[in-house]
Amino acid sequence: MPQKTLADTLAARETIYVNCGHPMCCKSTKLDIQALIDRLGRDHVSMHDDLVGLFVCSNCKAAGRDRRQVFFTCVPDYEGQQRARNRDWKPTFERGD
């Protein structure tokens, strides 16, 4: 089964947030997918296991907290999906009597 790449994520216009797993922090940061592509390449897999080792919470590091694993939140392009869904919709003014 093909894995989802960073290029696929960018093309789908998805937004990815990286979240700190430390209960005293819980910082969340929006990722710049294009910057990740520039750094890692278009074909780098964008799944959790392939990205998790790349990120460390800077707030926790500065505060001297123990390192906790980060996790990701992926938000689909809901507006684009809605536009595509409504593209062929035409209003009718007929009464449903």
Side-chain angles (χ1 to χ4, degrees):
M1 174 164 62
Q3 298 256 333
K4 187 172 189 177
T5 65
L6 290 172
D8 297 334
T9 302
L10 185 64
R13 299 183 61 178
E14 294 174 339
T15 303
I16 297 180
Y17 292 89
V18 60
N19 309 286
C20 176
H22 198 288
M24 296 293 291
C25 180
C26 301
K27 178 182 176 183
S28 180
T29 303
K30 181 179 175 181
L31 293 181
D32 183 346
I33 303 299
Q34 185 59 55
L36 280 175
I37 289 173
D38 294 343
R39 180 176 168 201
L40 303 171
R42 296 181 54 78
D43 295 330
H44 193 279
V45 180
S46 64
M47 303 305 285
H48 172 81
D49 290 339
D50 301 295
L51 295 176
V52 72
L54 302 173
F55 297 95
V56 176
C57 179
S58 57
N59 284 1
C60 286
K61 188 175 181 179
R65 295 187 195 109
D66 60 322
R67 182 178 175 175
R68 299 287 176 100
Q69 191 169 13
V70 298
F71 60 95
F72 300 92
T73 304
C74 180
V75 181
D77 177 24
Y78 290 116
E79 289 180 23
Q81 291 175 2
Q82 191 68 21
R83 264 192 312 277
R85 202 176 293 127
N86 291 332
R87 186 176 306 137
D88 297 327
W89 182 78
K90 303 281 189 268
T92 60
F93 297 101
E94 299 172 5
R95 298 192 107 181
D97 294 334

